[in-house]
Amino acid sequence: MVADILMDAGYRVFEACEAADALAILDGRDDIGAVFTDIEMPGGMTGLALAAAVRDRWPSMPVLVTSGRVRPGAGELPNGAAYIAKPYMPGELVATLGKMLPHPDSGD
């Protein structure tokens, strides 16, 4: 559903089921502008650990973290990462991401 929301807003989306898959996609591409992750995900790495790994390897990459059950505590999000609580409205998600990343139709 999130992929559809973001594609409808004009973003190109690459989906990953686990953090390791997300890191493999990031390793193989140079055209990814942001990472959106849930805190709770399958596999051996949480979304917070993924956010930290992304920040370490791609320091300028915007990271947006979400969860419906877990709220990050002070200092748990990497510098520059943002959090949006579930449930959120599609417009809220797009607006939050838009603040972190220029819209694809803006020419930036």
Side-chain angles (χ1 to χ4, degrees):
M1 182 174 74
V2 170
D4 290 337
I5 292 167
L6 295 175
M7 287 187 287
D8 287 347
Y11 293 100
R12 186 168 39 156
V13 175
F14 300 92
E15 295 181 75
C17 294
E18 297 181 357
D21 297 336
L23 291 171
I25 292 169
L26 288 164
D27 277 334
R29 305 194 63 94
D30 63 359
D31 61 344
I32 300 199
V35 172
F36 180 59
T37 184
D38 198 300
I39 290 175
E40 297 179 296
M41 35 189 326
M45 183 182 277
T46 69
L48 290 173
L50 173 61
V54 169
R55 181 61 64 226
D56 288 345
R57 294 171 69 182
W58 299 277
S60 62
M61 177 80 61
V63 178
L64 181 57
V65 177
T66 192
S67 180
R69 299 185 331 157
V70 179
R71 185 171 197 93
E76 286 189 288
L77 286 177
N79 287 339
Y83 173 79
I84 185 171
K86 290 180 185 178
Y88 44 78
M89 299 300 295
E92 180 185 8
L93 171 61
V94 172
T96 301
L97 184 61
K99 290 175 189 172
M100 301 174 76
L101 183 71
H103 192 277
D105 297 332
S106 70
D108 292 339

